[in-house]
Amino acid sequence: MTKAIKLLTALPQPQRQSLMTLAKEVSFAEDVHIFEAGGTADRFWVVRSGAVSLTQQVTAQHRVTVAALGSGDLLGWSWLFPPYRWDFGAEAFSPVRAYEFDAAAVLRLCEEDRQLGMILVRSVAEILAHRLETTRGKLMEQYGSHRRGTL
């Protein structure tokens, strides 16, 4: 399994300092919907404190939590890939403090600093790979226990 990484600590100090010049401190109250699946993905966050649930609407009445994020975790990656729409929803599970980054400004900075751009894309890819492996493991556990229960 891939190792969980934190975006800001994955960046070398010069690139982290450069990225942090674009950070805006924000907060979300408990139970606030930060974004909904299908919405425009024009920013991302790094959670400083609190907990965020990534959700998927399964039916009109049923929403499933697919991941829980906490301190240091990247919230939002859809800003990096066309069509720039959120794949999941995000909800503050508790009061949340975060650094918010405007996607257009970060992409401009990555054009100016190609090393930052490469490291940022690789880091996001590692984060996504880890989350995919974790989700796959949870699905296998659920599927395996479901199958055992029906035999």
Side-chain angles (χ1 to χ4, degrees):
M1 178 176 271
T2 59
K3 180 182 167 219
I5 67 165
K6 306 295 184 180
L7 181 66
L8 295 180
T9 56
L11 297 174
Q13 183 64 23
Q15 284 74 29
R16 182 171 46 246
Q17 284 180 304
S18 183
L19 181 64
M20 289 305 293
T21 64
L22 302 176
K24 174 181 159 188
E25 292 188 29
V26 298
S27 60
F28 302 99
E30 185 175 348
D31 295 330
V32 165
H33 291 274
I34 300 169
F35 57 82
E36 294 292 337
T40 301
D42 60 357
R43 63 197 67 244
F44 66 96
W45 300 263
V46 174
V47 177
R48 295 178 57 211
S49 66
V52 175
S53 298
L54 292 181
T55 61
Q56 182 68 55
Q57 197 73 37
V58 178
T59 67
Q61 299 82 23
H62 189 64
R63 182 186 309 246
V64 175
T65 297
V66 295
L69 306 179
S71 181
D73 286 333
L74 171 68
L75 171 59
W77 53 267
S78 298
W79 61 275
L80 197 51
F81 306 102
Y84 310 107
R85 298 276 176 211
W86 298 119
D87 286 317
F88 300 99
E91 184 176 338
F93 186 72
S94 69
V96 172
R97 292 175 41 219
Y99 292 118
E100 181 179 89
F101 297 88
D102 176 85
V106 171
L107 292 171
R108 281 192 300 274
L109 183 61
C110 289
E111 286 294 320
E112 295 168 11
D113 181 347
R114 298 289 181 155
Q115 185 178 10
L116 169 62
M118 181 58 83
I119 295 168
L120 187 65
V121 168
R122 281 186 178 160
S123 296
V124 171
E126 283 185 53
I127 291 166
L128 292 175
H130 177 75
R131 288 185 189 167
L132 178 61
E133 285 183 22
T134 301
T135 301
R136 184 182 314 134
K138 287 179 184 178
L139 288 172
M140 294 300 286
E141 286 175 14
Q142 289 178 354
Y143 178 73
S145 64
H146 174 71
R147 277 182 54 112
R148 283 190 297 274
T150 59
L151 293 178

